[in-house]
Amino acid sequence: MSENPINLQSVLDGFDAVWSPRIVDTVNDYDIRLARFAGEHVWHVHEDTDEFFLVLDGEIEIGLREPAGERVVTVARGSVFVVPRGTFHKPSSKAGAAVLLVEPTGTLSVGDQHEEVPDHVDVTVGHRV
């Protein structure tokens, strides 16, 4: 936990890698992460945790595989969306986006199960700033 305020824009200005989240702080056992989205991530699932998305800039799409079939949720700047645990999902952004995520510390960016990970996706539990 930080003892001083953290300027999120300064953190975002400090990296340009997409799909490579930065851990800006920790609350209890949860990481507060910043990530840049561009293009497509990978279909994946977090079996034991929900995943919180807050779009700071741009717009993202999240593909969801649900019992009723697949659907896509568009999350605009200033909006939040939570993917429920156990739901396969695939984030993407056509024009690029900056996103704040909240996940339990140690959560892998490609979940517990995933399809083949392309080179542009960083398989990580986050990089501390």
Side-chain angles (χ1 to χ4, degrees):
M1 182 177 333
S2 175
E3 295 181 11
N4 295 303
I6 298 167
N7 183 290
L8 298 182
Q9 189 59 54
S10 292
V11 174
L12 284 166
D13 291 345
F15 75 100
D16 59 4
V18 297
W19 307 117
S20 184
R22 301 309 196 253
I23 301 168
V24 296
D25 215 339
T26 302
V27 178
N28 297 317
D29 297 329
Y30 286 82
D31 289 339
I32 309 304
R33 302 176 183 185
L34 285 179
R36 293 191 175 281
F37 289 18
E40 295 186 351
H41 195 263
V42 61
W43 281 104
H44 65 284
V45 64
H46 302 281
E47 295 290 352
D48 299 317
T49 186
D50 302 333
E51 188 169 13
F52 173 93
F53 296 82
L54 164 60
V55 179
L56 301 174
D57 192 28
E59 181 177 273
I60 67 172
E61 298 80 35
I62 303 175
L64 301 165
R65 289 182 179 156
E66 301 172 315
E70 286 188 15
R71 70 180 175 117
V72 175
V73 173
T74 300
V75 188
R77 180 177 186 236
S79 298
V80 300
F81 185 75
V82 176
V83 174
R85 72 190 72 201
T87 302
F88 270 93
H89 58 288
K90 182 179 185 176
S92 64
S93 180
K94 294 176 184 139
V99 180
L100 184 141
L101 302 114
V102 179
E103 299 177 298
T105 299
T107 299
L108 197 58
S109 61
V110 294
D112 304 311
Q113 298 178 50
H114 51 80
E115 60 183 21
E116 186 173 335
V117 179
D119 291 339
H120 70 275
V121 173
D122 186 10
V123 178
T124 181
V125 294
H127 304 280
R128 189 157 296 276
V129 295

